[in-house]
């Protein structure tokens, strides 16, 4: 599962996807399906982050005095059946940031999940048991409709859709919607000059004509040279958040994966024409029953260390070792994907659960030195689409053990806590078999890659060096200025730099609108909040709430009508305009978690919609089915627009009138619990935000104004400054458990798909899944 960072982090490359792993802050650099991902460039986002794209707002700090605790008298002024919540003016941060009672917390999480998402969960599991893809997708759409109606999260936007300038030729990095291959940079074509928008358009047309033929790369080189461009073999991009570790098999974060993926090859990889090609596997066979996949490995591929010293040859056992490490480290990484979330390798689930300790019984076998076999418990139509993602990476067994690594769940857990365990701690503590070696990492400065001289396919790479240059996001013009100077390959334009590009005479010839993708960034409604300061540093992002404020806020967030009111009160288009400007504010708005166009039915399907058998014809998009269920339930959410034929490009949630109606229902219900809500006694919600970045500051203020205006001051948003980007990430991206999320509303991350089925999104919403997005709602 791939968790992607928010758009700001994508600063550097404006790259793209958030594949399997939660999401990384909306960074504009690399993925993220990522997460969305925060670093490597996607074809369209070959530049700086979008987040920092606006001018500073006057009001970029914490809320004024009138946004804190209500007067105690108003608390007592209620006649509710339950009696008023007792007034406690102590700071919530001083009282609630204590160690958790895990048994009590888990029980409360389970109760909240079942109450709010029980119907979604049942429908989702019904979909998993469907007889064919079309029935499966229709039932998943119905399930997701129920999840959308629960308002546990608000879809915000996808990556791309902004103005940008670049020296990177379009479609020279993979643009498949899922996995991590879109972060592989070896085929990038980079020029010494900015590429004109007209030439980008011509190259995209050329790609459309040639995709699937294997001829686009050479045709693009010829086009560029014929039109006066000079190709360079060096690429540089900005980045705003580096990896926290280098073990690709033990992470679900796109912010890690996007930096590691260029150091190794997998069995199969998608090329720049989006065709899956042999990489370390020269060929493969599938059994007649669809359960066994046999891969025939390429001989002579070398493992080396970061200095290029040869360690060993890549063999089938490296993939067996890799899968065992994935399952041993399932709590930190993507093991759940291969043990039931996406499909199940034989006995993988039992191994993770501890019911089986003999890994030789798991369905991953080295038949001989160069023959590898995976066996599934059931056929899976999309199994091969996940081979571009983390769990199928190889691991050199001897090197891993030399760094203190152990195999077996108990042995691994014990080893990783010891000082002798260094595997993946730094770039020097991993083995390489891919196109690049990492030669230097300077924290908050640079990450440098050079071509691997022993790489099996070294004659097919277009770059000799890759350099990521740190940008802390505080200067909203830095990426643009660096791109103009040639220090980085390109940059996204924000509202401020768009004006600058026009005055510099750059905009008309070179600016283009970047492509959008399948990464979905969201705002999470934290329905069970336990932290009122960051879990790693209780002096950062400290809530102004009192204990009374916190108790009232928690009670309100558990109420469905209250959450409906909040999601309907958020004017996403106006917020988006702070980053992209009025002209592009709708471009990348997304209205569902799974993109509405992600799949379409392969055949006619009839399903039950509220007691009525409803037939959806072959070709019907996923979003159309979601909308049918939402309409039948009478909920004011629009996830599919018939005229646009899309679930993107408009705001289908903002509805101030509906927001007030739902708030009235919430007020009535909450009064029975002793929670009075009025202008004199409002509910407070906290929004931790990266105040040093003017774009985020502007967006936070727009969010505050939107909610407070639509809900007539009965809900007040406390803007809680995090100081720097790290503080912001620790509030809502880095926590591994729901207990540690700080904030009532968090919009730091998103999700990008790992494989080509809606399950890649919905699996992240299951209960008690390590790394799952549901944790961002404060449960599990």
């Amino acid at each position: 599962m791939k968790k992607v960072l928010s758009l700001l982090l994508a600063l550097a490359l404006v790259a793209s996807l958030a594949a399997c792993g939660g999401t990384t802050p909306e960074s504009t650099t690399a993925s993220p399906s990522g997460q969305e991902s925060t670093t490597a460039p996607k074809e369209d986002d070959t530049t700086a982050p979008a987040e920092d794209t606006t001018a500073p707002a006057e009001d970029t700090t914490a809320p004024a005095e009138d946004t804190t605790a209500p007067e105690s008298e108003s608390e007592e002024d209620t006649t509710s059946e339950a009696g008023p919540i007792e007034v406690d003016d102590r700071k919530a941060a001083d009282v609630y940031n204590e160690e958790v009672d895990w048994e009590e917390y888990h029980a409360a999480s389970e109760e909240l999940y079942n109450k709010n998402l029980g119907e979604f969960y049942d429908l989702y599991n019904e979909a998993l048991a469907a007889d064919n893809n079309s029935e499966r997708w229709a039932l998943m759409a119905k399930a997701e409709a129920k999840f959308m109606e629960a308002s546990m999260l608000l879809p915000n936007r996808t990556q791309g859709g902004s103005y940008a300038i670049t020296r990177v030729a379009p479609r020279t990095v993979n643009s498949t919607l899922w996995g991590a291959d879109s972060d592989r940079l070896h085929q990038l074509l980079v020029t010494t000059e900015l590429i004109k928008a007209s030439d980008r358009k011509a190259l995209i047309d050329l790609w459309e004509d040639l995709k699937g033929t294997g001829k686009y790369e050479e045709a693009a080189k010829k086009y560029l040279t014929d039109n006066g461009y000079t190709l360079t073999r060096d690429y540089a991009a900005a980045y705003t958040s580096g990896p926290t570790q280098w073990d690709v098999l033990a992470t679900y974060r796109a912010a890690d994966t996007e930096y590691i993926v260029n150091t190794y090859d997998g069995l199969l990889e998608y090329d720049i024409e989006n065709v899956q090609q042999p990489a370390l596997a020269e060929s493969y066979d599938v059994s007649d029953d669809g359960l066994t996949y046999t891969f025939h490995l390429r001989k002579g591929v070398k493992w080396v260390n970061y200095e290029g010293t040869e360690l060993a040859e890549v063999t089938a056992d490296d993939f067996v070792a890799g899968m065992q490490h994935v399952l041993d480290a399932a709590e930190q990484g993507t093991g759940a994907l291969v043990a039931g979330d996406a499909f199940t390798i034989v006995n993988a689930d039992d191994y993770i659960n501890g019911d089986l300790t003999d890994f030789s019984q798991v369905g991953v076998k080295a038949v001989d030195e160069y023959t590898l076999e995976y066996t599934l418990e059931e056929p899976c139509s999309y199994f091969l689409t996940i081979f571009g993602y983390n769990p199928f990476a190889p691991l050199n067994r001897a090197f891993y053990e030399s760094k203190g690594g152990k195999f077996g769940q108990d042995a691994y857990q014990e080893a990783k806590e010891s000082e002798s365990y260094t595997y993946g701690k730094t770039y020097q503590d991993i083995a390489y078999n891919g196109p690049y070696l990492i030669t230097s990492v300077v924290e908050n400065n640079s990450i440098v890659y050079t071509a691997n001289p022993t790489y099996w396919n070294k004659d097919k790479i277009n770059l000799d060096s890759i350099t990521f240059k740190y940008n802390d996001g505080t200067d909203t013009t830095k990426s643009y200025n660096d791109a103009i100077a040639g220090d980085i390959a390109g940059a996204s334009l924000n509202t401020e730099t768009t004006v600058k590009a026009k005055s510099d005479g750059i905009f008309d010839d070179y600016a283009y609108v970047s492509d959008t993708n399948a990464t979905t960034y969201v705002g999470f409604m934290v329905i069970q909040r336990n932290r009122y300061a960051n879990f790693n540093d209780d002096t950062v992002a400290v809530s102004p709430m009192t204990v009374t404020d916190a108790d009232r806020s928690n009670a309100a967030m558990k109420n469905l009508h209250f959450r409906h009111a909040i999601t309907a009160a958020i004017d996403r288009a106006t917020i988006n305009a702070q980053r992209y400007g009025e002209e592009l504010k709708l471009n990348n708005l997304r209205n569902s978690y799974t993109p509405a166009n992600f799949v379409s039915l392969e055949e006619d399907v009839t399903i039950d919609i509220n007691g009525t058998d409803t037939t959806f014809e072959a070709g019907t998009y996923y979003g159309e089915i979601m909308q049918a269920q939402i309409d039948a339930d009478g909920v004011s959410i629009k996830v599919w627009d018939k005229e646009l034929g899309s679930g993107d490009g408009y705001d289908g949630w903002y509805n101030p009138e509906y927001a007030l109606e739902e708030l009235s229902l919430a007020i009535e219900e909450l009064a029975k619990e002793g929670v009075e809500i009025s202008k004199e006694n409002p509910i407070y919600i906290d929004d931790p935000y990266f105040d040093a970045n003017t774009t985020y500051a502007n967006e936070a203020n727009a969010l505050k104004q939107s909610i407070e205006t639509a809900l007539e001051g009965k809900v007040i948003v406390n803007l809680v400054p995090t100081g720097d980007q790290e503080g912001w990430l620790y509030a809502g991206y880095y926590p591994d458990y729901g207990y540690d999320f700080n904030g009532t509303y968090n919009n730091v991350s998103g999700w990008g798909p790992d494989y080509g089925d809606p399950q890649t999104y919905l699996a992240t919403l299951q209960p008690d899944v390590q790394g799952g997005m549901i944790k961002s709602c404060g449960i599990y």
Side-chain angles (χ1 to χ4, degrees), residues 74-93:
S74 60
E75 281 288 357
E76 301 171 21
D77 201 19
T78 178
T79 57
S80 71
E81 297 173 11
I85 290 177
E86 184 178 348
V87 174
D88 188 336
D89 288 331
R90 291 177 297 167
K91 288 293 184 182

Side-chain angles (χ1 to χ4, degrees), residues 3-7 22-26 35-36 144 147-148 152-158 519-525 570 572 590-594 653 728 732 745-752 761 764-765 773-774 776-777:
K3 188 178 185 182
V4 295
L5 289 171
S6 108
L7 277 181
T23 47
T24 62
E26 292 182 71
Q35 359 354 306
E36 205 101 74
E144 184 164 346
F147 179 79
M148 292 290 96
M152 299 279 280
L153 61 76
L154 173 66
N156 280 331
R157 55 191 165 214
T158 182
T519 298
T520 303
Y521 292 110
V522 301
F524 291 99
M525 310 291 281
I570 296 176
R572 296 181 299 148
R590 174 156 291 162
N591 292 290
S592 57
Y593 186 43
T594 305
W653 288 70
W728 183 59
Y745 178 80
N746 274 311
N747 61 349
V748 185
S749 64
W751 192 265
Y761 294 91
T764 71
L765 307 176
M773 297 296 278
I774 201 64
S776 299
C777 295

Side-chain angles (χ1 to χ4, degrees), residues 149-277:
E149 292 171 8
S151 287
M152 299 279 280
L153 61 76
L154 173 66
N156 280 331
R157 55 191 165 214
T158 182
Q159 287 181 332
S162 64
Y163 289 124
I165 54 175
T166 188
R167 292 175 176 81
V168 178
R171 307 299 192 267
T172 58
V173 68
N174 168 255
S175 54
T176 305
L177 294 179
W178 50 82
D181 287 341
S182 52
D183 294 318
R184 297 183 182 276
L185 308 182
H186 60 281
Q187 286 186 274
L188 282 186
L189 294 178
V190 184
T191 62
T192 57
E193 309 85 2
L194 289 172
I195 298 175
K196 290 184 176 180
S198 58
D199 288 324
R200 276 186 53 86
K201 172 66 166 58
L203 285 165
I204 291 171
D205 290 343
L206 185 62
W207 184 85
E208 292 289 348
D209 290 340
L210 295 177
K211 63 181 177 182
T213 67
K215 297 178 179 180
Y216 173 68
E217 184 177 323
E218 290 306 313
K221 288 179 182 178
K222 184 176 186 305
Y223 179 92
L224 290 167
T225 55
D226 286 352
N227 283 274
Y229 294 97
T230 302
L231 292 169
T232 177
R233 296 185 65 84
D234 302 310
Y235 171 74
Y239 79 101
T240 60
S241 178
T244 57
Q245 57 104 347
W246 295 88
D247 182 357
V248 77
L249 296 166
T251 183
Y252 61 89
R253 291 191 174 103
D256 296 330
T257 301
E258 58 202 15
Y259 293 99
I260 307 170
V261 71
N262 289 290
T263 69
Y264 73 90
D265 271 3
L267 293 166
L268 306 172
E269 294 170 11
Y270 286 98
D271 65 17
I272 61 175
E273 296 178 14
N274 297 345
V275 176
Q276 197 170 42
Q277 301 284 3

Side-chain angles (χ1 to χ4, degrees), residues 114-132:
N114 290 338
K115 177 182 177 182
N116 291 282
L117 298 178
E119 190 172 9
F120 157 77
Y121 184 74
D122 290 343
L123 287 168
Y124 172 73
N125 281 284
E126 182 182 346
L128 296 184
D131 293 331
N132 57 61

Side-chain angles (χ1 to χ4, degrees), residues 379-591:
C380 177
S381 62
Y382 52 85
F383 178 59
L384 292 176
T385 68
I386 202 172
F387 274 70
Y389 193 53
N390 302 22
F392 290 91
L395 174 72
N396 181 264
R397 189 182 296 272
F399 183 85
Y400 172 66
E401 292 177 331
S402 75
K403 296 293 182 178
K406 301 290 184 182
F407 291 96
Q409 283 192 306
D410 292 341
Y412 164 73
Q413 295 297 334
E414 182 178 350
K416 77 183 183 74
E417 300 301 329
S418 70
E419 292 184 2
S420 62
Y421 186 88
T422 62
Y423 184 77
K425 299 293 186 183
T426 74
Y427 72 94
Q428 299 175 345
D429 296 306
I430 59 172
Y432 299 71
N433 66 35
Y436 297 100
L437 308 177
I438 299 172
T439 55
S440 172
V441 175
V442 180
E443 187 176 3
N444 293 342
N445 181 280
S446 62
I447 304 173
V448 180
Y449 300 70
T450 58
N452 178 2
T454 66
Y455 182 51
W456 68 271
N457 204 20
K458 63 182 179 180
D459 294 335
K460 297 296 185 182
I461 68 174
N462 294 327
L463 299 176
D464 294 329
S465 73
I466 300 169
T467 303
F468 294 112
K469 300 181 179 182
Y470 183 67
N471 184 332
D472 67 7
T474 58
D475 180 354
T476 57
T477 66
K478 178 174 172 53
S479 289
Y480 171 79
N481 291 334
D482 287 350
I484 294 299
D487 293 334
I488 60 176
S492 295
L493 303 182
N494 53 46
T495 54
E496 186 175 358
T497 54
T498 295
V499 172
K500 201 169 190 308
K502 290 177 179 179
S503 67
D504 290 344
I506 296 295
F507 186 86
D508 289 344
D509 287 339
Y510 296 98
Y512 65 96
V513 177
S514 59
D515 294 343
T516 57
N517 62 26
T519 298
T520 303
Y521 292 110
V522 301
F524 291 99
M525 310 291 281
V526 181
I527 65 171
Q528 181 180 222
R529 184 178 176 190
N530 294 278
R531 293 286 184 191
Y532 292 83
N534 282 2
F535 75 93
N536 69 311
D537 185 344
D538 62 12
T539 68
V540 175
V542 180
S543 171
M545 286 193 196
T546 66
V547 171
T548 298
D549 296 336
D551 291 346
R552 285 164 45 79
S553 182
N554 263 338
M557 291 297 286
K558 291 178 173 65
N559 183 278
L560 175 62
H561 294 296
F562 184 82
R563 297 197 304 272
H564 279 174
I566 297 296
T567 53
I570 296 176
D571 183 354
R572 296 181 299 148
T574 295
I575 294 170
N576 230 26
Q578 309 308 309
R579 184 185 301 250
Y580 304 110
E582 284 292 321
E583 185 178 354
L584 300 182
K585 68 181 183 181
L586 296 176
N587 268 22
N588 65 3
L589 286 186
R590 174 156 291 162
N591 292 290

